[in-house]
Amino acid sequence: MTLVLGAVSAFADDRNPEAKHRLNPERHTQYLTEKLALDTQQQEQVRAILEGSHARVESILENHRPTRDNVRTELKAVRKDTDIQLASVLTLEQMEKMQALRKVHREHRRERAVKRRHHTENTHDEAEY
C-alpha cells in the first residue's frame, strides 16, 4: 500500500490522470503478488486491505481538498494503518521486501522530480532568449 500512497504524493487530480491509474488496488495486489510471492489467501487479504485504503485515499483527495500539509498528514495516517494491517497478513520477510521496494520507488520518484525541475528550469531559461 505504501507504494500506492507514495504515488498519491503527486496528489491525484484531474491534471494527473496517471495518478488514479497507479491507485488501482487490483493492479497493486498483482504487483505485490509478483514481488512478494503472495499465496492465494494473502492475495485476498491484501486486496481487501488495499481496497479499504484506496477508498480512504480517494476520500481524502476528492472530498475535502485539504491543504497540502493536511493531505500529507492524512495520507501518512492511512499508510501507517495499512502497514499495520499488512503486517498481520505478510511474513516478516515479505514486509521487509515491501519496505525495500518502497524505498526504491521513493528514490525513483525523487529522481523523476529532479529531472522534471531541471527540464522546467531549462525550458524557462530557453524561453528567456
Side-chain angles (χ1 to χ4, degrees), residues 6 10 16 35 45 52 58 62 72 75 85 98 118:
N16 190 358
K35 297 297 183 180
Q45 293 171 316
E58 287 295 311
E62 291 178 1
R72 286 182 187 206
L75 292 178
Q85 293 176 45
M98 188 183 74
H118 181 71

Side-chain angles (χ1 to χ4, degrees), residues 36-110:
L36 305 179
L38 301 180
D39 64 32
T40 304
Q41 184 178 6
Q42 286 178 314
Q43 288 176 41
E44 292 171 10
Q45 293 171 316
V46 166
R47 182 178 295 110
I49 292 167
L50 296 180
E51 286 172 351
S53 297
H54 179 262
R56 287 178 61 192
V57 168
E58 287 295 311
S59 175
I60 291 167
L61 297 176
E62 291 178 1
N63 293 335
H64 44 274
R65 300 275 184 195
T67 66
R68 183 180 179 113
D69 288 338
N70 287 346
V71 167
R72 286 182 187 206
T73 300
E74 292 182 47
L75 292 178
K76 283 181 183 181
V78 172
R79 181 175 62 199
K80 182 178 178 181
D81 292 346
T82 302
D83 284 350
I84 290 168
Q85 293 176 45
L86 289 173
S88 71
V89 172
L90 303 177
T91 66
L92 181 58
E93 181 180 307
Q94 288 170 321
M95 282 298 292
E96 289 172 351
K97 189 167 185 179
M98 188 183 74
Q99 290 169 346
L101 290 168
R102 175 187 303 164
K103 183 178 179 182
V104 169
H105 282 270
R106 190 171 36 242
E107 290 168 2
H108 285 291
R109 275 196 325 273
R110 285 184 185 140

